[in-house]
Amino acid sequence: MSSADFQTHFALTLQQFCEERFITPEQLSDLQWYQLIAQTSQQYILQNFPKNPPLAYTRKVNYLSMEFLIGRLLGNNLMNLELYDSVEQIVAKYGKCLMDILEQERDPALGNGGLGRLAACYLDSMATLSQPAIGYGLHYQYGLFRQSIGWSGEQREEGDYWQRDFYPQQHHRADLAQTVGFGGEVQHREGDHYDWQPEWTISGKAFDLPVVGYKGIQQPLRLWQGYSETAFHLEKFNDGNYLQAEQNTINATKLTKVLYPNDNHQHGKALRLMQQYFHCACSVADIVRQHLAQGRTLEQLPEFEVIQLNDTHPAIAIPELMRLLLDQHHLSWEQAWDICRHTFAYTNHTLLPEALEQWDQHLIAKLLPRHILIIEQLNHELYQQVKAEFSPQEFAQVWQETALIMHSRVRMANLCVVGAFAVNGVAQIHSDLVANDLFPAYARLFKGKFHNVTNGVTPRRWIRQANPALSQLLDKHIQGDWTQDLDRLAQIEPLAKNSEFQTAYDNVKQKNKQALAQLIQAELGIEVNCNAIFDVQIKRFHEYKRQHLNLLNIIASYQSLKANPAQNFVPRVFIFSGKAAPGYFMAKQIIQAINGVANVINHDPTMKNRLQVIFLPDYRVSLAEKIIPAADVSEQISLAGKEASGTGNMKLALNGAITLGTLDGANVEIADYAGQENVVIFGHTVESIKQLRANGYISKQYYENNLELKHAIDALANGTFSNGDTTRFASLVNDMLNHDYFCVLADFAAYRQAQAQIAARYQNKTTWLESTILNTARLGKFSSDRSIRDYQTRIWKK
Ligand code: H53
């Protein structure tokens, strides 16, 4: 069906839709229009869009991730199908605006933050580049909670039933169902082969969401949902053990009910381990089934397939593939291991100790008795290898670092490093730390295994769709399609100083700021000053990301303005958005403190048009799409060495925000590409933090030696921002003064100076615009198309 055919088909469907409801198209609501367009375009995709690209020089990618934060699909799909303009025209004929209609779609929130969003960008790029791929994830009934803010500024959480009654973008694939076992017993058969008799099983239903590439192909994101075929465990039921029988049904339906709301933090709950295994068992079985169905042998698996592990969350896929090969396909241990270690690749996304997953050995043994045997055997073999390759003097230290099991904990990152043929970090500085600080012994043991692939973001969603005004300007001045080749952005570099182009670029930003101002007005009833600097920090709330450093500067600015109102102050609107894990007390307290400060400042008439603080609730992909194009300043202020990469930093910089950041994650590369003079870098480095800690870091000394800092913290403590309540922020204050693990106080003075530099630069409109234009022009490298090409050439190559 061509696009003209689509229009004819759409006209017919519209007529039918209206006839069934006895209304005219003019009477359709936006929601009805949305339903109609979504359904029709879904049929169009499934029936007419090419799939199964030929395998070229890379293998097929099976991208295993517990999270895919895909965002709204309809607008993106229409754009990628090149149907956007024609649908816009059709609805305009009936007096409707396509943008309003698209607002009806609810974001599927099947992820927490950066990790899940990255997976979504990579699916988009793989479909665009015709890289054969399937995304494998879980079909959570409830996505990430919806956030609202209570009367005293605290975060409130509500379940997110994202599918409601209608989600046309997915279809159930009954033919792909799987059965997954848990618990039970293992019996030795012979040699390396065992029989596993699970105590109970859970079935996996597959839901496919077609991912449509830009002028490219469609391929599935396959999401598994748990259900129980037999309502009861019949044997137990017949035994009279009713309760236990019922329990199994509950387990099956509960399994994929909800996404764990932690980002960069492991909770260690049995249900989460069950989710992980369920995800891996369904996916690995599906991969092997497809491979064999094409008439290929198991030995050929690594030649045609790669299983990319997105963090350690799907690590249990390694022993699962071993189990299938050994116990179901009767390969020898050596054959099976050879296949495994050439099939898996592992991406590490974090160095934070609390996020590096470890599972209790006994819990694994109870739920997955066959897998623990395999892991123990792998551990034994690794032991022999380490013993053989390192000197007796080094052995103890090396084994301490490399063992798969230590103190009855199974270390999933170690399992991944051992089981993968390639390990990569997600930005250069992070990859260096992975090899040199986290796994130095492994780097010596497995030479050539460690790589870097710097993250990227899809320009389709994050420029073309989110920022139509900028896109039009780029279309006008760039030859060829920058949407498919982001390096073409370099063509605007010669225009950076051109005053006409500067004005046009500035108009785009102003327009976007006004649109965001309208949204703020509608959501919060606050009128913001569009001539002020829009200073944006949007991301998950985590102490290492240091939203409280931002807050301390805001308080210090407020106090300075109160003390000296006549000063030359460049107006600022500080904009925050992000969620805290419901169980993360300190992160929630930081949210509450931001809202407390916002409440005081926004109600102070002397601050009007000078200083404003906005917290936009319920951060999600569709909200990010509205904030990012309007940002002037991008806050990337994590403690050096803690943010693996960041991807919001790339989206903001590409949309013309100046990065105000530490030398952390991808900020380092953004600064290199944009040019040091077009970013503002401040604060301690990875090296200087090591030094600071070695000397014994005492945060209170900074508090005592810096009056601005002292007054800011005192104001948080003394109830200024909490209606006189001196207990509300006590934990936060106490932590800053007595622990401050993330060295907020140590970076305060440098951050304040950096903020002053931003203000000074903003006053010179011409040089500011030149810098922002150069950010857009020079950051083509941060397209996820480039990341995928790096994966192809460095990792997925045959
Ligand atoms: O992954 C992003 C990085 C970011 C990192 C994030 C991440 C999660 O969102 C969750 C778990 C995890 O281990 C890492 O924090 O720096 O940009 C994508 O690589």
Side-chain angles (χ1 to χ4, degrees), residues 63-75:
Y63 199 86
L64 263 61
S65 177
M66 292 284 283
E67 305 187 13
F68 287 91
L69 200 43
I70 51 180
R72 288 178 177 158
L73 288 180
L74 184 55

Side-chain angles (χ1 to χ4, degrees), residues 235-270:
E235 236 170 82
K236 289 231 164 83
F237 187 74
N238 293 335
D239 286 351
N241 196 344
Y242 303 116
L243 259 185
Q244 175 74 45
E246 182 84 47
Q247 187 61 41
N248 292 333
T249 320
I250 295 169
N251 282 341
T253 50
K254 231 171 75 175
L255 187 69
T256 49
K257 189 143 224 158
V258 58
L259 162 76
Y260 274 87
N262 309 303
D263 196 65
N264 254 306
H265 186 88
Q266 185 194 10
H267 234 61
K269 292 271 189 284

Side-chain angles (χ1 to χ4, degrees), residues 294-433:
Q294 291 175 75
R296 293 170 181 154
T297 67
L298 287 168
E299 283 74 13
Q300 287 177 304
L301 192 73
E303 201 184 315
F304 291 95
E305 307 285 333
V306 57
I307 303 180
Q308 187 72 42
L309 303 175
N310 199 26
D311 221 332
T312 54
H313 314 153
I316 201 76
I318 296 170
E320 172 64 3
L321 181 58
M322 280 298 279
R323 183 186 75 83
L324 287 187
L325 298 177
L326 290 168
D327 301 347
Q328 284 193 1
H329 296 280
H330 315 294
L331 299 192
S332 71
W333 177 275
E334 289 71 28
Q335 285 172 317
W337 184 235
D338 211 48
I339 293 171
C340 269
R341 67 189 186 87
H342 289 103
T343 300
F344 289 99
Y346 158 53
T347 306
N348 173 290
H349 295 265
T350 188
L351 300 168
L352 295 185
E354 67 268 31
L356 288 174
E357 291 183 301
Q358 301 196 356
W359 287 105
D360 178 54
Q361 187 177 3
H362 306 109
L363 179 65
I364 299 191
K366 200 171 123 217
L367 284 174
L368 305 168
R370 178 60 179 122
H371 299 76
I372 199 69
L373 293 181
I374 292 171
I375 296 169
E376 284 165 2
Q377 173 74 16
L378 289 174
N379 196 37
H380 174 72
E381 293 192 355
L382 182 69
Y383 182 88
Q384 307 294 345
Q385 194 182 352
V386 170
K387 196 130 212 188
E389 301 213 10
F390 288 88
S391 67
Q393 295 88 314
E394 284 180 306
F395 175 78
Q397 164 71 29
V398 169
W399 184 241
Q400 180 70 29
E401 178 192 322
T402 53
L404 300 185
I405 305 173
M406 184 61 68
H407 308 309
S408 300
R409 316 279 297 162
V410 179
R411 300 146 142 195
M412 304 313 264
N414 291 30
L415 180 60
C416 288
V417 174
V418 170
F421 66 87
V423 176
N424 75 283
V426 289
Q428 191 61 57
I429 185 177
H430 168 68
S431 299
D432 292 344
L433 288 167

